[in-house]
Amino acid sequence: MPTIETVTDPLIATDADLVVVAAYAPASGERDDPAELGADGQLVGEAAGLDLGAELASMRFDGSVGSVTRVPTRGAIPAATVLIVGLGARESAGPTQLRRAGAAVAGAAERVTAVATSLHTAIEGLTAGAAAQALAEGLLLGSYRYATYRSDAPPFELESITIHASDADVAEVRSGVEVGAITAGSACLARDLVNTPPQDKRPPALADRIVHEFAELPVTARVLDEQELAAGGYGGILGVGQGSSEPPRLVELSYAPEGAERHVVLVGKGITFDTGGISLKPSTSMETMKTDMAGGATVVAALHGAARLGLQVRITVLVALAENMPSGTATRVSDVLTMKGGTTVEVINTDAEGRLVLGDALVHASELEPDAIVDVATLTGAAVVALGDRISAVMASDDDLAASILEAGTTAGEPSWRLPLASDEYGDRIEGTIADLKNVGGREAGSIFAALFLHAFVGEGIAWAHMDIAGTAWTKEARDEFGKGATGVPVRTLLAWLQGTA
Ligand code: BES
Ligand code: MN
Ligand code: ZN
């Protein structure tokens, strides 16, 4: 991960290899017009004796978001190359466009060691701090590579990014960069955990690794092993984990800064590999199931960022870790599990395991009597059908909580959409035949059914929201600030939300 430094020297004086400036797409309806160079580009062009605007026109550069082109300076200024990056149309450019442009810059800079830019000034109506944060996020998210298991990793040489700010803005830019760097660092922590192959993150090992990540932060950790889970009555977590040769775990992390008024509990699904269990998945559906702990990775990474930022809010994180395997010891179809708190559940489909581990964790969370509970889970294929891989689903018992999470997602550039909890319409569907509840209620409205099941384990009157990230935790194709693989979504949303509640 490159480092970012903020300085007040003029951009044209930089000795970086690449100096990065902005261009805007022509206003809509004027598609044949050339892209328009930003103010920094004018200055850099003048200093280098280059007419960059004319270069853009001759290349027919369209200025679309994240498009890039290079112009050599031939020794006229210390930087060898001007990199021009598109921000889209001037009127619609905002933090999302800046983040994407930042990621494109990182991609274009993978074979140089140093870049310099003032791209944060390119967007009107955005504070210097918010712009610097979005830019830093884009640059760092776009620099992410997962090379742990490669014997011959493709080179990524970018080491240093210098942001040139004015004397008036420098303090705000510096703090925006810091928040952006912590936010991107947290998202990349989640990406690392999710990208890790499943044999190297089986529940006990992943619990240790999570605890280790907090060694230098003011966070205390407790890991419940299988004996403690049995003693506490965590029948859902144990039932899902019992088919595996490695036992399940519940990780509890606490961050309680002095003076914090609000207490929120973040709960994550941590299925380290989801084969479906006895209700075995077909092979193609299983291919990405190492991502089934992405909810857990998200809440861990969000807490990591919150602690680094020193947010004034008490946060407890619970991650329910189990490996869902078929075997002679696995839970059978139609077995009845007794969940923490005593509710009994008929397991109609062992592939609906996320709600079983989360049910126990939500009971545990409710016992802490927090102001709010948010759980995050790769819970249902139905969420992917409904909203695809770019929009997370949110279901909630509380309208204000739902609205604040959606708003945080918009700020963070990670869109979410609310689906109804629909207790009146579908509440009867979770009723069991021989037990209190059943874990499957038919194919239709699968995400809502799963959320209703979870709601049954949330303490009366506690504001609760559930994020289904089955579609958004992973991307098959590189796009925007995401490379192929784990996205780190919705870490940025949770961090923005926590900053809002602090
Ligand atoms: N982990 C899956 C959900 C999932 C699907 C995550 C696609 C990421 C991408 C979950 O445990 C699951 O298998 N859900 C079942 C539930 C069904 C059996 C009621 C599903 O959605 O098919
Ligand atoms: Mn499953
Ligand atoms: Zn699952």
Side-chain angles (χ1 to χ4, degrees):
M1 187 79 60
T3 57
I4 308 186
E5 194 194 0
T6 308
V7 301
T8 53
D9 317 333
L11 182 61
I12 49 169
T14 183
D15 58 2
D17 311 291
L18 271 184
V19 50
V20 183
V21 300
Y24 307 94
S28 52
E30 296 164 36
R31 265 199 291 140
D32 289 333
D33 287 357
E36 185 198 332
L37 193 66
D40 279 338
Q42 309 277 2
L43 289 176
V44 169
E46 276 162 31
L50 294 165
D51 185 347
L52 294 176
E55 296 272 356
L56 290 181
S58 72
M59 287 182 287
R60 313 209 69 184
F61 183 72
D62 68 4
S64 57
V65 183
S67 57
V68 292
T69 188
R70 292 175 173 78
V71 182
T73 64
R74 306 192 194 287
I77 57 171
T81 309
V82 182
L83 181 77
I84 305 172
V85 60
L87 284 169
R90 206 184 256 280
E91 317 80 69
S92 52
T96 298
Q97 289 70 25
L98 196 50
R99 210 180 275 111
R100 290 179 185 168
V105 169
E110 62 183 4
R111 303 306 303 269
V112 304
T113 55
V115 304
T117 188
S118 304
L119 269 186
H120 64 285
T121 58
I123 292 183
E124 279 161 37
L126 198 59
T127 65
Q133 181 184 340
L135 177 60
E137 286 176 7
L139 287 162
L140 296 176
L141 292 167
S143 297
Y144 178 81
R145 302 288 183 276
Y146 187 69
T148 311
Y149 292 82
R150 282 192 191 279
S151 46
D152 192 12
F156 185 81
E157 287 157 26
L158 181 60
E159 285 169 7
S160 102
I161 297 165
T162 309
I163 311 254
H164 291 254
S166 67
D167 289 322
D169 284 349
V170 66
E172 220 194 309
V173 170
R174 241 179 223 135
S175 64
V177 165
E178 197 195 335
V179 176
I182 289 174
T183 305
S186 297
C188 292
L189 168 60
R191 290 177 177 182
D192 277 344
L193 294 172
V194 174
N195 282 328
T196 298
Q199 91 264 33
D200 286 342
K201 59 178 178 191
R202 300 182 73 197
L206 183 52
D208 287 348
R209 181 163 167 197
I210 290 169
V211 172
H212 182 75
E213 292 293 340
F214 291 89
E216 270 144 45
L217 287 168
V219 169
T220 56
R222 182 162 78 111
V223 178
L224 303 193
D225 65 18
E226 64 274 32
Q227 282 89 28
E228 290 162 306
L229 290 170
Y234 296 79
I237 298 174
L238 289 166
V240 172
Q242 76 188 36
S244 171
S245 59
E246 286 280 17
R249 293 285 183 264
L250 179 71
V251 179
E252 183 185 60
L253 303 166
S254 317
Y255 168 68
E258 220 171 293
E261 282 172 13
R262 277 172 57 80
H263 179 202
V264 303
V265 183
L266 305 177
V267 177
K269 171 176 174 181
I271 300 300
T272 63
F273 192 68
D274 182 11
T275 65
I278 295 297
S279 313
L280 195 66
K281 285 182 184 295
S283 339
T284 49
S285 309
M286 217 187 283
E287 281 171 13
T288 55
M289 282 304 135
K290 71 172 181 182
T291 68
D292 215 19
M293 38 59 77
T298 298
V299 294
V300 163
L303 176 63
H304 201 271
R308 285 180 71 196
L309 289 168
L311 299 188
Q312 278 298 300
V313 52
R314 179 176 164 206
I315 304 166
T316 303
V317 157
L318 298 171
V319 187
L321 296 170
E323 191 180 44
N324 190 20
M325 299 292 271
S327 77
T329 61
T331 291
R332 284 158 290 265
V333 169
S334 76
D335 272 356
V336 173
L337 301 178
T338 303
M339 308 280 285
K340 183 171 180 59
T343 302
T344 57
V345 179
E346 235 176 308
V347 182
I348 304 298
N349 190 319
T350 63
D351 198 12
E353 83 298 338
R355 60 202 74 180
L356 299 172
V357 302
L358 288 170
D360 280 348
L362 288 168
V363 171
H364 180 131
S366 300
E367 286 175 356
L368 303 173
E369 297 180 357
D371 298 297
I373 300 175
V374 179
D375 79 71
V376 186
T378 48
L379 204 60
T380 64
V384 194
V385 174
L387 297 172
D389 66 354
R390 302 187 183 191
I391 303 172
S392 304
V394 173
M395 281 144 279
S397 65
D398 183 277
D399 291 344
D400 292 338
L401 178 58
S404 65
I405 287 175
L406 295 194
E407 194 190 320
T410 305
T411 308
E414 297 177 330
S416 290
W417 196 259
R418 189 174 179 190
L419 300 178
L421 197 51
S423 334
D424 290 345
E425 292 80 1
Y426 298 133
D428 58 326
R429 276 220 242 149
I430 64 174
E431 286 163 22
T433 29
I434 70 155
D436 301 336
L437 304 177
K438 60 183 177 198
N439 77 332
V440 168
R443 262 166 55 81
E444 303 85 10
S447 306
I448 294 173
F449 175 84
L452 280 171
F453 184 93
L454 296 182
H455 192 209
F457 297 91
V458 176
E460 190 84 30
I462 301 178
W464 162 76
H466 156 63
M467 301 187 78
D468 194 333
I469 59 164
T472 51
W474 182 263
T475 177
K476 283 190 229 115
E477 278 147 5
R479 63 173 176 93
D480 305 331
E481 65 271 38
F482 307 109
K484 241 185 204 176
T487 58
V489 172
V491 172
R492 290 182 269 151
T493 301
L494 287 186
L495 274 173
W497 177 71
L498 289 166
Q499 280 166 277
T501 58

